[in-house]
Structures are given as structure tokens and as C-alpha cells.
Amino acid sequence: MSQHAQPSALSTQVHIQWGSLLSYGSFFRVFTLLLMTFSPVSNRALFEPTRPFTELITSFCLLAGGLVFMESTDPIISALEYRGLTPMFTLNVSVGCIALVMAWIMSVFAIKDWLKLRIGN
């Protein structure tokens, strides 16, 4: 994505970042498919959802890549340049925000699962 004409070096770096994040997400999605293809499945597990650890990494990369993609518009890049912010600053903020959102979501689901076990449904 960084190979098409960009108005500035900051814009090029941001495009490289979100392209890399989406590429990493696709790599881990392929790894998930390989794990699910080659791992043995018991009869009981056929009716239960599987949760490979690679899906967590895939979700993180795709969410972070999407957020960085939304930052790659011309008005936002102009605002970042005006304030003197670097591409690594924006990447760190984006990754941090996504990590907090994913931690919150996982906490909510963990509490939900705990309540389900406690209530017995």
C-alpha cells in the first residue's frame, strides 16, 4: 500500500504500518487454519467452538491495522504533521488503545463465562 503516491513521508510510513499489520493478521489467520487442519479433533470437540491462540493475535493485528488505516487520511496526516507527531507515536497510541479495548472485551467475556458456570446455565 505504501507504493502509490503519498503527499508526505509521514503518510508513507503510516501506510506501511497498516499494511504490515494487515499482512501479519493474514499470516496468523493462515496459521490458525493450519492448526485447525492438522490438529486432531475428538468427537466431543466437534460440537464445541475451537479457540486457537493465533486468533487472538489475528484479531489484534486486524483491529490495530484498521485503526491505523483510519489514521491514514489526508486531514489526519496533516494534523499529525502540524503537531510534529511521528509515525511511531501514532502506532504506539493505536496499539495501546486496541490492547485496552481487547483487554476489556476479554474481561467482560471472562466474567460472563464465570457467571454462567456459577448460575449453572
Side-chain angles (χ1 to χ4, degrees), residues 57-120:
I57 302 168
T58 300
S59 301
F60 178 78
C61 289
L62 294 178
L63 286 169
L67 184 59
V68 173
F69 174 67
M70 289 188 284
E71 294 172 358
S72 69
T73 62
D74 287 336
I76 293 176
I77 293 295
S78 298
L80 295 173
E81 287 175 340
Y82 177 76
R83 289 171 179 80
L85 300 175
T86 64
M88 285 311 295
F89 174 80
T90 59
L91 181 68
N92 287 334
V93 169
S94 299
V95 166
C97 289
I98 293 300
L100 288 174
V101 167
M102 285 186 71
W104 171 254
I105 291 170
M106 288 189 293
S107 299
V108 167
F109 277 104
I111 292 169
K112 181 194 78 140
D113 290 342
W114 177 75
L115 287 173
K116 272 183 158 179
L117 286 174
R118 186 169 178 182
I119 294 173

Side-chain angles (χ1 to χ4, degrees), residues 31-60:
F31 194 59
T32 297
L33 293 174
L34 290 174
L35 278 175
M36 292 177 71
T37 301
F38 295 118
S39 66
V41 178
S42 67
N43 289 336
R44 182 172 180 248
L46 286 175
F47 300 104
E48 295 177 357
T50 57
R51 298 179 189 145
F53 66 93
T54 54
E55 277 303 296
L56 181 63
I57 302 168
T58 300
S59 301
F60 178 78

